[in-house]
Amino acid sequence: MFEASSMMFIYVETPLHAGTGRGLGGVDLPIQRERVTGYPIVQASSLKGRLRAEGRKKSKESPTEEERKQGWLSTAEFEAIFGPETERASEHAGALSPGDAKILLFPVRSLAGVFAWTTSCDVLARFLRDTEIVGLRPEWNVPPEPASGEVLIFGTELLARDGVVLEEFTFSHQQSDEIQEIVQNIGKWLAQNALPEGDEYRYWREALPNRLAILPRDAFRDFTVFSTEVITRVRLEPETKTVAEGALWTEEHLPVDTLLYAPLMATPTRAKNGIQLSGAEVLARVSSLGLTRTVLGGDETVGRGVVALRFVTGGAS
Amino acid sequence: MNPEYPLPGDTLKVLKRFELSQCQNPGLLFARFVPDLRADKEVRRREGLENVRKAAPDGKLLEGFRQRWQELVAAFQGEIFEATTEWRLIVGLGQKGPLEVGFTFHRLYGIPIIPGSALKGLARAYAYLVERRGESDIDFCDIFGRAPKLEETSQAGKAIFFDAIPLSQPQFDLDIMNPHYPKYYQGDEPPTDWQSPVPIYFLALKPGSCFAFAVGWRGLLDSEGQRLRSLAVKWLKAGLEELGAGAKTSAGYGYFYFISPPQPAQPADATSQLVRTSQTIQPAPATSVAAPTSVPSQSLMPSEELIWRTGTVREYQPGLGRGRLVDDETGEELRFDRNAITEKGWSPGKKHKVRYAVAQREGRVMVVKIQQAR
């Protein structure tokens, strides 16, 4: 069974289209969602495929000592961790198992403060449950569910005078000091532990506690369903510069500044090629690939789907 | 209060005490806070657009966004360059929205951007239309990819065209379309003189808006990769300069230039200051594999020796700031733009005798200075 696990935080930097193919609704190309809640996800198979591709890029027959320090893998290690190539797929399973990437923060435009990172008590509670598996222990508790039409915030940055206006909907805010403190703690913890670590993120880490908005679960769900980024695309005929026949379509994307998380779990390696790694070593190899950014989903060549990654291992579990 | 905003009641209550112009998200106002257009349509539309125009984006956010964009582009072996609009720019005019005139904003921050998909299409159109490259050309397919066709393998392009982001604080102009025969265009009547033109307002970016563009590369950036990436950059630059981006390119909108930062006609304001600070943008070093850093083409090196020649102006459009001249000896035709003019207040007329100097810039011969022949 799994003997080690860690958390991978995925921060969306350019619109992310992890799609399902054709849709029957208003959008031609919708994104992947959870069946029951309707929240957006990125399926585990997409994540594993991406990690595998990045691992392959950084593996070679026999890396030098210097390259090993930079996170290079030997081909044997690569196969032990991610599984063999398709034609030898029956030999053994890989050691790494990512879970689906679930939603944690979903950004929504705000009349004051440009935009808010929204979440709900449901989502936070589920996140706490998932961190337990990984051995992460956030020092905060889930606040009580806000009443319908209310929002929990810290500070005044999101306040347009009397209320918090997200898109065109107004929420009144809870003013108790106790609630404010809980929201601030959650915001600070996420800024320190979940947002990307790079210097270029200083602004965002500082902004998060003041722009975190905990919504009633129905309102949060509605935003994740109706407030994703829908981009209309056309293809022009170069000669006539008019839209080519049938070449008008809409694509749904997860907006920039969405925060997702996916557990990474590992078993000891099963390969018979002489490589024996424990689960913890497998995870260490994956996080030392040095992946701070990668691409998920479609439309890579027009700059979409760039995500910043952060690998967090829990304390002793 | 404004009962004519079709918004939920509690939001209307908030708006009693909150001025829309205090909002720092122009894109949000454009998409959601739109007056009811059922009566006095053009007046109301104008009001809605004025709100958008007055909403100033948060400077700190813009700066944070720029830094993040730069790191992101560097992680994908991107080559960055800057360009400035010669005249107005409007991207996404045809999009559907409550105001019936479109405009492409960054979805979350509400600032104008040029989508990577538009830039990829523009570079591809340039390669196809001007350089006559197509899917039978290997370089073309490596850069842009190839659509699946029967009995042929398809491939993804290797160049990544990132969204272009504004370097200066975005400033909008209210512009109009003014069809003189509206009923004719609606197919109801012949184009008769008794129809009254009704100006339709729309939003455009002011001339002199500065953007940062980037082309990244998937896979190994060896010498071949570098050559192809440079080619993609060259096509994109040429497309921006000669084909124009966005809508209304045949009316002079959407053309860019690269030579030097704009000399804004309006007195020094926020724009010029931000444009200057923005020049610190450089691709982050080290992370990309020995990528040649792109140097934004700037004004003349003082040490450069100029060779002066004489010529005759064929055409000059002061509005666009562009013209053509013919060399008196060789008969060669050259193009120039207003940045080459050094004398204040002078603009060359047709058949004007001029002295001019050329220099090689990025592999092209360009007129860098032009003045009145004495």
Side-chain angles (χ1 to χ4, degrees):
Chain A
M1 263 319 288
F2 300 121
E3 61 170 34
S5 52
S6 66
M7 195 67 95
M8 179 168 72
F9 288 102
I10 302 170
Y11 196 77
V12 177
E13 294 196 293
T14 62
L16 167 59
H17 175 78
T20 56
R22 291 280 155 188
L24 300 171
V27 180
D28 296 326
L29 301 172
I31 57 172
Q32 299 163 4
R33 288 178 183 277
E34 275 170 7
R35 180 82 181 172
V36 176
T37 58
Y39 295 152
I41 53 166
V42 179
Q43 280 161 7
S45 55
S46 309
L47 298 182
K48 185 171 175 201
R50 192 66 225 179
L51 290 173
R52 185 186 172 89
E54 295 284 359
R56 185 187 285 118
K57 259 200 273 178
K58 240 186 152 179
S59 65
K60 53 165 68 172
E61 205 49 53
S62 45
T64 63
E65 205 48 42
E66 191 56 30
E67 283 170 333
R68 283 195 166 278
K69 275 188 200 141
Q70 293 165 8
W72 281 76
L73 303 170
S74 70
T75 312
E77 277 176 325
F78 167 75
E79 292 209 342
I81 294 172
F82 295 100
E85 299 296 339
T86 318
E87 55 280 8
R88 295 181 287 110
S90 58
E91 285 179 14
H92 63 88
L96 181 74
S97 302
D100 289 341
K102 299 179 196 162
I103 191 94
L104 186 51
L105 298 177
F106 185 83
V108 178
R109 294 180 288 197
S110 168
L111 191 59
V114 188
F115 75 97
W117 280 280
T118 68
T119 187
S120 76
C121 293
D122 272 19
V123 165
L124 290 171
R126 190 166 74 163
F127 173 68
L128 277 189
R129 196 179 69 195
D130 290 342
T131 53
E132 216 148 274
I133 304 172
V134 176
L136 266 179
R137 296 211 170 74
E139 324 66 63
W140 45 265
N141 294 314
V142 180
E145 170 83 11
S148 170
E150 268 189 10
V151 62
L152 314 182
I153 54 167
F154 163 71
T156 56
E157 206 166 307
L158 293 175
L159 269 186
R161 294 286 189 146
D162 310 315
V164 176
V165 184
L166 301 176
E167 296 286 329
E168 71 269 44
F169 302 105
T170 301
F171 297 86
S172 57
H173 72 296
Q174 263 277 3
Q175 300 187 346
S176 93
D177 289 347
E178 198 187 336
I179 296 283
Q180 292 244 350
E181 201 187 314
I182 296 177
V183 176
Q184 188 193 15
N185 279 340
I186 297 174
K188 276 188 176 166
W189 189 90
L190 290 176
Q192 279 165 19
N193 295 282
L195 251 50
E197 287 172 291
D199 239 13
E200 73 273 20
Y201 269 91
R202 189 174 303 139
Y203 170 83
W204 316 93
R205 285 192 296 262
E206 282 169 12
L208 176 53
N210 301 312
R211 300 219 196 131
L212 183 64
I214 301 175
L215 293 170
R217 55 179 166 244
D218 290 344
F220 175 73
R221 182 184 167 277
D222 286 351
F223 278 125
T224 62
V225 172
F226 300 113
S227 203
T228 49
E229 180 165 5
V230 177
I231 298 178
T232 306
R233 302 260 315 259
V234 292
R235 189 174 71 245
L236 301 183
E237 292 286 4
E239 285 93 351
T240 58
K241 221 191 159 197
T242 50
V243 179
E245 181 79 29
L248 164 76
W249 72 101
T250 49
E251 300 169 340
E252 188 181 22
H253 294 256
L254 271 183
V256 174
D257 290 305
T258 302
L259 178 65
L260 304 160
Y261 67 97
L264 296 182
M265 290 160 288
T267 62
T269 52
R270 305 177 176 101
K272 297 193 182 70
N273 58 9
I275 299 294
Q276 282 194 333
L277 299 171
S278 70
E281 283 170 323
V282 167
L283 292 179
R285 293 283 200 287
V286 172
S287 65
S288 60
L289 284 173
L291 280 179
T292 50
R293 283 191 169 82
T294 189
V295 180
L296 291 172
D299 289 333
E300 179 179 355
T301 63
V302 292
R304 305 259 169 80
V306 177
V307 294
L309 298 181
R310 179 163 178 183
F311 297 89
V312 180
T313 329
S317 59
Chain B
M1 193 32 238
N2 303 306
E4 71 270 28
Y5 280 82
L7 290 168
D10 44 1
T11 304
L12 285 176
K13 238 192 253 167
V14 168
L15 288 191
K16 271 186 197 161
R17 310 219 296 136
F18 185 88
E19 280 295 318
L20 281 180
S21 57
Q22 287 169 260
C23 177
Q24 293 178 307
N25 193 331
L28 174 63
L29 297 187
F30 189 82
R32 294 282 181 267
F33 293 83
V34 171
D36 189 345
L37 297 183
R38 280 174 302 185
D40 283 340
K41 191 168 183 176
E42 288 313 320
V43 178
R44 300 274 176 83
R45 173 147 49 208
R46 182 171 186 172
E47 185 190 325
L49 292 174
E50 278 291 348
N51 287 336
V52 177
R53 202 170 67 84
K54 283 185 208 143
D58 179 10
K60 267 196 192 160
L61 174 80
L62 278 182
E63 195 47 50
F65 179 48
R66 261 174 232 148
Q67 282 177 18
R68 200 168 85 179
W69 182 86
Q70 232 174 294
E71 292 295 322
L72 181 162
V73 165
F76 293 89
Q77 314 183 99
E79 182 174 338
I80 298 178
F81 65 92
E82 296 173 16
T84 308
T85 53
E86 280 184 358
W87 174 237
R88 288 175 180 159
L89 168 72
I90 168 149
V91 180
L93 181 63
Q95 280 169 10
K96 282 181 201 157
L99 281 165
E100 297 174 10
V101 287
F103 194 93
T104 300
F105 289 99
H106 186 281
R107 159 77 185 185
L108 204 54
Y109 312 146
I111 53 174
I113 56 160
I114 310 172
S117 54
L119 298 174
K120 181 173 177 180
L122 178 61
R124 194 176 185 281
Y126 182 85
Y128 182 81
L129 291 173
V130 181
E131 302 224 332
R132 293 281 155 212
R133 308 282 193 114
E135 291 197 349
S136 55
D137 182 298
I138 296 171
D139 288 356
F140 185 90
C141 289
D142 274 349
I143 290 173
F144 299 112
R146 179 150 66 166
K149 274 186 199 132
L150 278 180
E151 292 168 26
E152 273 181 40
T153 46
S154 57
Q155 70 184 88
K158 288 187 182 156
I160 305 176
F161 292 83
F162 288 99
D163 292 352
I165 64 163
L167 291 177
S168 43
Q169 183 85 357
Q171 298 200 331
F172 302 102
D173 271 339
L174 277 198
D175 206 332
I176 57 160
M177 291 174 261
N178 204 6
H180 278 49
Y181 307 106
K183 287 184 179 156
Y184 170 63
Y185 290 113
Q186 286 159 13
D188 298 339
E189 279 180 28
T192 47
D193 277 346
W194 54 80
Q195 296 176 23
S196 358
V198 182
I200 299 166
Y201 287 93
F202 66 93
L203 207 58
L205 266 182
K206 267 192 197 301
S209 299
C210 189
F211 280 84
F213 298 79
V215 178
W217 195 253
R218 302 197 309 148
L220 191 63
L221 192 70
D222 51 6
S223 60
E224 178 66 1
Q226 288 187 13
R227 181 183 71 82
L228 289 171
R229 191 187 63 178
S230 308
L231 191 59
V233 168
K234 192 188 112 188
W235 285 341
L236 175 57
K237 280 185 167 177
L240 288 168
E241 198 175 14
E242 293 177 29
L243 301 181
K248 295 188 177 293
T249 49
S250 48
Y253 291 62
Y255 293 91
F256 284 79
Y257 67 90
F258 304 92
I259 300 163
S260 61
Q263 307 298 317
Q266 60 270 59
D269 54 8
T271 321
S272 53
Q273 197 194 341
L274 269 155
V275 168
R276 235 175 289 126
T277 53
S278 71
Q279 282 167 24
T280 51
I281 283 219
Q282 289 287 335
T287 37
S288 55
V289 191
T293 46
S294 72
V295 182
S297 47
Q298 294 301 335
S299 50
L300 278 175
M301 303 287 157
S303 59
E304 202 167 348
E305 198 62 32
L306 292 179
I307 301 157
W308 289 91
R309 311 173 63 93
T310 55
T312 309
V313 174
R314 270 275 167 83
E315 183 192 7
Y316 180 70
Q317 295 168 282
L320 289 175
R322 297 201 294 192
R324 294 176 293 136
L325 61 84
V326 171
D327 191 277
D328 283 348
E329 281 170 39
T330 63
E332 189 189 2
E333 190 175 289
L334 291 154
R335 306 198 317 168
F336 63 92
D337 76 11
R338 73 160 77 83
N339 293 289
I341 301 171
T342 43
E343 287 159 83
K344 265 208 175 119
W346 177 69
S347 80
K350 206 172 173 184
K351 294 189 182 165
H352 242 121
K353 284 278 174 206
V354 292
R355 295 175 70 232
Y356 72 93
V358 293
Q360 286 271 350
R361 287 275 180 280
E362 289 154 16
R364 309 169 53 161
V365 177
M366 290 172 89
V367 177
V368 291
K369 280 204 173 159
I370 178 164
Q371 36 181 263
Q372 233 163 330
R374 303 197 198 286

